[in-house]
Amino acid sequence: MCGIVGYVGRQSAGPILLEGLQRLEYRGYDSSGIAVIDHDGALAVLKRQGKLRDLEASIERMPSGGVGIGHTRWATHGEPSDRNAHPHASSNGDVIVVQNGIVENYRELKAELHDELELAGRDWQSDTDTEVIPELISRELAVGRSIEDALISALSRLRGANAIAAVSRRHPGRIYAARKGSAGGIVIGYGEGEMFIASDLPALLAHTTTVHHLEDGDIATIDADGVTIQGAEREAFRPTPLQVDLDPVAIARGPYRHFMLKEIHEQPRALSDTIRGRARVDPPSALADDLALRDETLRGIERVLVIGMGTSLHAAMIGRWWIEQIAGVPADFDNASEFRFRAPLLGPSTLVVSVTQSGETIDTLGAMSHVRARWGAPQIAITNVDGSEATRMADASILIRCGPEVGVASTKTFAGSLAALYLLACRLGRARGSLSEADFADALEQLLTAPSLVDRGIGQAARCAEIAQRHNSATNFLVLGRGIEYPLAMEAALKCKELSYVHAEGYAAGEMKHGPIALLDGSFPVIALAPRGPLFDKMMSAIQQVRARRAPVIAVGDEGDDELATMVDDFIGVPPAPPLLTPFALTPVIQLLAYHIALSRGLDIDQPRNLAKTVTVE
Ligand code: G6P
């Protein structure tokens, strides 16, 4: 989704902004732009629809000037076009703004500002909601307010969640940044005689690991020597920065053709890192020092609700299964964007677990604040980003230690979230006494095999590539699973849609007879997730029904399962796993199948069209 960068210092801002935007490309975008101001206040705004290389190609001469802001836009209001790309300037050209988020009341504000604009013989320059922001700021400046007060006043007029960066011709030498609500963060990076800002840490890491995260309501004034922050209700202060230990090398692609492929291969390590120190078998313990929720609180939990969006929702569905099976606690899952607008019946004894790799997905955060405002139920966030909004809203967080995930389609964070959910189920079961010490130890021992199950699943990459190649012209896929494999069938279908733009549906195999079977014929491949487990025979019946309609079957089952292998058109063997652990064995295979279908279709795997890594708009 949209990305923001900014620079102030002795160097030429333009190339630094472009390089920062490149590091944000993975978030997904459809246009980009930069604005640079020199010390005399001369302004250059350059923006283009398309990829960053289109913007770079359009720049005849890099503007001079050591102050600037840049943006990658993912269109919400107004089509992707040069004129709708950010930055946007006030009609008098004094204030230039980039925004992540949505100004929900932009129509009202445009109507309010319309007469003034008309009087000055000017008109709106874009179809975006963002353009009202510089206009509001410049109106406040015109009545003699300081720029900080103008920003506070302008932001107070906006409805919705917004993260912005701004520069002003009246104050060359500074950039301004502000955050209101959960439209993604703003991180300020400290250099020597130079300062940086970005919506995401990876854009800063090549320059600095000394950073400060803006809080909701903060307005920051940044010059080459540092930052002063002012909140709507706070005295101005100079924050104390943090040191982050993210390794810039970890975000490079290395020998892999795509970040997604690299991240699929990183899953065993991501799992080991997430489990390390949190699952002990002798004496058994889970999340002992990690969960800031005491056993007394966990003992009082009578129900668990797991929420998320996209891939995280599928992890939540599997988590629900484990919480019921391992912890013996009634559990549900819900799509955060639906849950937040319902009036479900929760209570203080319901534990709400939000799964969100980014920690910034607007619907998940909306659901969390819905829970807090309405029920005050205890909340846990499972996320990959320390310090993200979800961690701040939750009572306790489980950080999955996956390292930065760059591919837009989540892979290793899915595996990491699964490990965290499994650990939570174990801890909950033990705290409530529903899991005996021996079963607790057994469940944890099984989890310790997850990295090697994933590793062996990855070993099927060549087979996945060969099968994907054979089916790469299919226009539909049906993916079937039962029990704990049903959410995986949905995740497999999501991966096919995200990466290959092929229509795919994930279905509970038992439901197939109630509709989808009508679609099947020789051109409609079916992927069947069928490891040997309690529901294997039922999966076999479903596969027979598919075969009777002549639809080609690609089965993913236990290595050496000849009965299954000989019955289907294509077979991929994964390591046999205990029934609760099959998601770890199957995950890499469903990811690799989708990856290779997309690869053989020549698609943009790390940045699929229309998608964003962090969805900060509704
Ligand atoms: C976007 C990403 C998905 C991700 C979903 C939820 O759609 O492209 O990969 O699963 O958001 O994101 P979250 O950060 O909340 O896990």
Side-chain angles (χ1 to χ4, degrees):
M1 198 127 292
C2 307
I4 290 177
V5 294
Y7 174 78
V8 46
R10 285 184 303 265
Q11 301 187 60
S12 170
I16 295 176
L17 296 173
L18 290 171
E19 180 251 11
L21 290 177
Q22 259 161 24
R23 293 183 192 273
L24 295 180
E25 278 194 293
Y26 71 93
R27 288 169 64 97
Y29 69 105
D30 47 48
S31 48
S32 59
I34 58 171
V36 175
I37 295 191
D38 71 16
H39 48 263
D40 298 323
L43 166 75
V45 178
L46 305 155
K47 42 197 209 169
R48 264 290 176 281
Q49 181 190 347
K51 292 284 174 191
L52 269 173
R53 58 178 174 270
D54 301 313
L55 174 66
E56 285 179 76
S58 75
I59 301 177
E60 282 168 16
R61 207 167 49 83
M62 189 59 80
S64 65
V67 179
I69 53 178
H71 191 259
T72 44
R73 172 176 189 250
W74 187 84
T76 58
H77 294 63
E79 59 173 12
S81 65
D82 291 354
R83 72 192 284 271
N84 287 335
H86 299 209
H88 292 289
S90 57
S91 58
N92 62 8
D94 272 356
V95 180
I96 298 91
V97 167
V98 294
Q99 186 216 185
N100 285 358
I102 290 177
V103 181
E104 290 176 359
N105 55 337
Y106 80 103
R107 275 201 200 86
E108 269 163 51
L109 292 170
K110 276 198 166 176
E112 180 186 317
L113 293 162
H114 178 75
D115 292 350
E116 286 169 41
L117 235 64
E118 201 169 52
L119 220 58
R122 302 180 186 130
D123 200 358
W124 297 107
Q125 298 300 306
S126 77
D127 311 313
T128 67
D129 53 331
T130 302
E131 206 183 342
V132 298
I133 305 175
E135 205 55 44
L136 283 170
I137 300 171
S138 110
R139 189 170 68 169
E140 298 294 329
L141 290 177
V143 297
R145 287 191 199 255
S146 71
I147 186 147
E148 287 82 2
D149 287 347
L151 274 159
I152 292 174
S153 161
L155 285 176
S156 73
R157 298 293 320 280
L158 310 181
R159 224 172 35 234
N162 325 92
I164 69 165
V167 287
S168 163
R169 286 199 311 193
R170 295 191 190 195
H171 306 274
R174 294 187 204 157
I175 45 180
Y176 303 90
R179 219 193 120 183
K180 177 171 166 283
S182 307
I186 296 271
V187 196
I188 296 169
Y190 292 68
E192 291 289 324
E194 57 184 357
M195 296 286 285
F196 308 83
I197 63 166
S199 49
D200 296 68
L201 209 46
L204 298 182
L205 289 176
H207 304 287
T208 179
T209 50
T210 309
V211 304
H212 174 76
H213 292 268
L214 286 195
E215 299 279 343
D216 185 6
D218 281 351
I219 293 192
T221 305
I222 304 144
D223 62 23
D225 299 318
V227 54
T228 305
I229 292 183
Q230 192 172 331
E233 287 152 25
R234 288 203 257 165
E235 291 294 303
F237 68 101
R238 284 178 92 79
T240 313
L242 292 170
Q243 277 299 331
V244 288
D245 62 0
L246 270 179
D247 175 3
V249 179
I251 53 174
R253 193 150 39 84
Y256 295 96
R257 190 158 172 193
H258 296 99
F259 276 107
M260 182 184 176
L261 191 60
K262 175 178 181 244
E263 287 156 5
I264 290 173
H265 280 81
E266 283 173 349
Q267 288 180 114
R269 208 195 65 207
L271 277 173
S272 308
D273 287 352
T274 300
I275 296 168
R276 191 175 1 97
R278 291 166 160 171
R280 279 191 211 101
V281 175
D282 192 15
S285 76
L287 293 172
D289 309 319
D290 284 276
L291 203 58
L293 285 182
R294 295 211 308 258
D295 276 355
E296 287 129 68
T297 314
L298 297 179
R299 255 195 298 280
I301 297 301
E302 284 166 13
R303 190 178 152 222
V304 180
L305 176 65
V306 198
I307 56 175
M309 298 295 291
T311 292
S312 291
L313 175 60
H314 299 146
M317 291 169 76
I318 295 172
R320 188 273 296 256
W321 185 274
W322 283 328
I323 290 162
E324 281 178 345
Q325 300 278 310
I326 300 175
V329 182
D332 289 312
F333 64 86
D334 212 335
N335 173 304
S337 68
E338 287 298 314
F339 168 83
R340 61 184 287 213
F341 295 111
R342 289 199 288 116
L345 301 173
L346 305 190
S349 59
T350 305
L351 174 68
V352 178
V353 181
S354 297
V355 185
T356 166
Q357 51 87 21
S358 64
E360 303 286 352
T361 296
I362 194 156
D363 281 310
T364 308
L365 297 181
M368 292 179 78
S369 79
H370 190 41
V371 169
R372 187 164 62 185
R374 208 177 155 117
W375 300 281
Q379 299 203 59
I380 294 178
I382 293 179
T383 181
N384 196 32
V385 183
D386 198 2
S388 60
E389 191 63 13
T391 61
R392 292 183 230 179
M393 290 178 73
D395 301 292
S397 304
I398 308 175
L399 285 175
I400 55 174
R401 302 172 186 141
C402 296
E405 186 175 69
V406 176
V408 165
S410 296
T411 51
K412 62 177 175 175
T413 56
F414 177 67
S417 300
L418 291 184
L421 285 159
Y422 188 102
L423 282 165
L424 179 63
C426 292
R427 170 78 188 274
L428 201 56
R430 193 59 197 135
R432 288 170 46 85
S434 38
L435 199 58
S436 70
E437 177 142 340
D439 288 346
F440 184 43
D442 190 41
L444 290 166
E445 199 155 11
Q446 287 189 18
L447 179 64
L448 296 177
T449 66
S452 91
L453 288 175
V454 170
D455 197 35
R456 286 168 65 193
I458 293 171
Q460 293 304 310
R463 182 89 185 113
C464 292
E466 178 201 320
I467 293 172
Q469 182 75 37
R470 214 168 18 256
H471 294 280
N472 75 351
S473 59
T475 47
N476 296 289
F477 283 96
L478 181 65
V479 193
L480 298 178
R482 284 203 79 142
I484 202 165
E485 285 96 38
Y486 165 43
L488 282 176
M490 301 197 54
E491 175 61 8
L494 178 65
K495 283 284 160 285
C496 287
K497 284 182 250 204
E498 286 179 308
L499 300 163
S500 335
Y501 317 148
V502 66
H503 171 245
E505 295 292 340
Y507 254 87
E511 182 73 9
M512 181 190 62
K513 302 179 283 296
H514 301 283
I517 199 166
L519 299 169
L520 299 184
D521 61 21
S523 68
F524 202 131
V526 174
I527 302 173
L529 306 181
R532 294 260 167 185
L535 296 169
F536 178 75
D537 290 343
K538 302 209 181 294
M539 272 309 291
M540 287 295 262
S541 313
I543 293 170
Q544 295 286 15
Q545 290 158 22
V546 170
R547 281 169 40 85
R549 274 81 198 172
R550 299 186 191 289
V553 179
I554 303 159
V556 189
D558 286 354
E559 276 162 6
D561 189 338
D562 294 336
E563 185 192 356
L564 177 61
T566 50
M567 203 173 114
V568 298
D569 301 85
D570 291 299
F571 177 75
I572 305 169
V574 295
L580 290 177
L581 277 254
T582 55
F584 293 108
L586 291 166
T587 289
V589 167
I590 62 175
Q591 296 165 342
L592 285 163
L593 275 173
Y595 171 85
H596 283 290
I597 296 171
L599 188 66
S600 63
R601 291 178 166 215
L603 298 172
D604 188 347
I605 289 180
D606 286 329
Q607 292 167 42
R609 70 181 180 206
N610 303 340
L611 296 183
K613 179 88 199 151
T614 308
V615 178
T616 50
V617 294
E618 290 180 50

